[in-house]
Amino acid sequence: MLRITDTRTGHPVEVPASPRRLLRSCVHLPDIGTGPDTGTGLGPVHLRVPLIGDVLARTAELNGLQVVTVLTTPELTPERALALDRVMAVLGIHPPAVIGHHRPEASLGGPADVHVTAAGTDPGGAGGGALIEVGRVTTAPSTQGLSAPGTLDPAETAEPLAVRLLLLTSPYKTPVTVTGPALAGARRTLRDWRRSVADWAQQPSRPIPTDLLRQSHAALAENLDVAAVLALLAEVAERSDVPPGAKFETFAHLDRVLGLDLARDVGHQHRP
């Protein structure tokens, strides 16, 4: 069961309504600026909204659901459409079934179960379905990866998935400020976790402890609490009572939702 807090009512809603096993998700990209100095016009919130839509889809699939995702956008110039594709690719966001500015019902095969949109924006007549409002994102002026004031290009950072990790560290409705130190910390975390996962992979495999599996799945199923899962992984990495093989299986399993490529270095360790 996947429960989402509907922003409209403040109450949790089961999606999709039981017993249906297909989740229809509509992600609404906010309007993009049109000024002469906006470049591609893609700001940080244009990363975070489809990212939360991706986490929703991954979590639903982890729970055995089928998912159809549609991304609705304002009318985009070819340059901006290419920029959007590139940003989603480097952030590991699975391509939606359809991208466009038309109404999504036909592509979804029915009304959306969930709408994902930026906080304070009009999702364009979303109608029924639970509403997830994603908190705003601001960037410090000196942040590495800023291609223009108010924009953030993950492809220009040393580790694009560090941006993904940073945006997932806070609950999706909480505003986030991207800073140079915060990005550097996310890069260090990815580096350390990938090295650890590669080391653990050399040990005999062990099952994921039942309490860790239950706790992590419960956090994800209850309003996409990815921040709690990240905190759990940080704890597991330091626990001496969890065998290395079980740590590997835990990190690899939860990375199906996190999308951080945590097993990237398996088999590529540097020998002394």
Side-chain angles (χ1 to χ4, degrees):
M1 181 176 68
L2 181 59
R3 284 158 49 103
I4 298 296
T5 299
D6 189 341
T7 302
R8 296 186 184 96
T9 65
H11 298 305
V13 178
E14 182 179 343
V15 294
S18 182
R20 189 158 57 84
R21 303 298 297 171
L22 172 66
L23 176 70
R24 301 185 180 106
S25 172
C26 185
V27 180
H28 302 266
L29 196 73
D31 286 335
I32 297 174
T34 57
D37 299 321
T38 57
T40 64
L42 296 175
V45 73
H46 299 99
L47 282 60
R48 198 180 189 193
V49 170
L51 173 58
I52 298 306
D54 183 60
V55 169
L56 171 65
R58 288 170 177 258
T59 300
E61 289 170 348
L62 194 69
N63 280 271
L65 299 173
Q66 293 182 316
V67 183
V68 178
T69 301
V70 168
L71 175 64
T72 68
T73 70
E75 293 195 41
L76 300 176
T77 64
E79 178 191 19
R80 286 175 171 173
L82 287 173
L84 177 61
D85 287 343
R86 180 172 59 88
V87 163
M88 291 198 299
V90 299
L91 282 182
I93 296 173
H94 291 165
V98 176
I99 300 177
H101 59 275
H102 52 76
R103 296 186 64 82
E105 287 81 1
S107 300
L108 288 171
D113 299 295
V114 184
H115 296 270
V116 183
T117 188
T121 64
D122 181 1
L131 179 65
I132 291 177
E133 285 196 349
V134 178
R136 64 187 179 88
V137 186
T138 56
T139 55
S142 59
T143 302
Q144 181 183 4
L146 288 174
S147 54
T151 68
L152 178 67
D153 190 342
E156 295 183 4
T157 68
E159 171 51 74
L161 289 180
V163 177
R164 182 179 177 111
L165 173 57
L166 181 58
L167 294 178
L168 292 179
T169 301
S170 299
Y172 64 76
K173 65 182 178 180
T174 303
V176 171
T177 299
V178 178
T179 67
L183 272 177
R187 286 195 294 270
R188 286 193 299 271
T189 297
L190 277 184
R191 179 197 63 203
D192 293 345
W193 281 0
R194 286 169 176 167
R195 287 177 178 174
S196 295
V197 168
D199 290 339
W200 298 331
Q202 299 180 84
Q203 303 299 317
S205 178
R206 294 288 186 270
I208 301 173
T210 303
D211 63 321
L212 296 180
L213 192 63
R214 181 175 58 248
Q215 187 178 349
S216 58
H217 279 222
L220 290 170
E222 193 67 34
N223 214 31
L224 304 179
D225 195 355
V226 179
V229 172
L230 291 169
L232 177 66
L233 288 184
E235 176 187 335
V236 169
E238 301 299 326
R239 283 177 56 175
S240 59
D241 62 321
V242 179
K247 290 182 179 181
F248 170 79
E249 296 296 345
T250 302
F251 272 67
H253 176 71
L254 293 176
D255 198 36
R256 292 169 57 187
V257 169
L258 299 175
L260 298 174
D261 204 8
L262 295 179
R264 187 187 68 181
D265 294 340
V266 171
H268 299 284
Q269 296 94 323
H270 294 289
R271 302 296 181 182

